[in-house]
Amino acid sequence: VAGAVVIPIVGGLALFGDFGWMSRTGFVLAILGVAFIFWRLHRHAGPGRTPAGGTTQSLLDFQRSELVRQRDALRSVPIWYLLPLVPSLIALDLGRWSPDHNPKLPLAEDHVRIIVGSVIALLIFAIVWLLNAWVAEKLDRQVEKIDRLRGQ
């Protein structure tokens, strides 16, 4: 849902905003990054099919494989969820640093805002990474419980 909002807004900024080439490149990279995340979620994070009429053992096997798949997806969030957005952030920051500097602000003040914005983005990335790692550990404990039930 967020990506369906982000892509048209960022696309509009890239097409119609009063920005230089570096910032426009950053917007295009953001669209490509979000599109990649969508593809990755669709391809690898969707639920599997529950076996119909399965035995207790086959249902436990299915549940375990789903938990492992989800856990592994969460553990790799830095690669497929955060990393695709980094080039756009770099391009946008570089674009605003001088060529696309906000003309309503003194350059030094705009630089401070860019730095603060970058720090905030890094903190958000760190929080997303840590929260996903925390949930992955919770899923790992569920996998261990299933393993104990299966007698492994």
Side-chain angles (χ1 to χ4, degrees):
V1 174
V5 173
V6 168
I7 289 176
I9 290 173
V10 172
L13 289 171
L15 291 173
F16 306 113
D18 187 21
F19 299 99
W21 70 270
M22 180 68 85
S23 292
R24 289 182 192 279
T25 300
F27 292 134
V28 170
L29 290 171
I31 291 168
L32 293 172
V34 170
F36 174 80
I37 292 166
F38 271 176
W39 170 81
R40 178 66 165 81
L41 281 170
H42 175 73
R43 178 117 168 115
H44 297 284
R49 293 181 183 255
T50 308
T55 65
T56 302
Q57 185 66 34
S58 68
L59 291 173
L60 280 174
D61 290 344
F62 170 77
Q63 180 65 13
R64 184 185 189 287
S65 68
E66 286 294 293
L67 291 171
V68 167
R69 184 183 54 75
Q70 291 171 11
R71 178 202 63 199
D72 293 347
L74 292 171
R75 283 184 177 161
S76 62
V77 154
I79 302 299
W80 64 266
Y81 189 81
L82 299 175
L83 191 60
L85 299 175
V86 170
S88 66
L89 295 175
I90 292 170
L92 288 167
D93 283 352
L94 290 175
R96 272 196 59 206
W97 194 258
S98 184
D100 293 341
H101 147 69
N102 184 343
K104 297 177 186 172
L105 297 173
L107 187 59
E109 186 177 336
D110 202 23
H111 285 177
V112 170
R113 289 181 181 206
I114 294 166
I115 291 167
V116 169
S118 296
V119 169
I120 290 170
L122 288 173
L123 288 172
I124 291 170
F125 274 36
I127 290 167
V128 167
W129 187 346
L130 291 172
L131 286 174
N132 280 280
W134 176 63
V135 174
E137 289 303 314
K138 291 177 76 170
L139 292 176
D140 208 26
R141 287 193 291 277
Q142 291 180 19
V143 169
E144 291 168 1
K145 286 180 185 177
I146 290 175
D147 287 345
R148 285 192 300 275
L149 284 172
R150 292 167 62 202
Q152 293 182 351

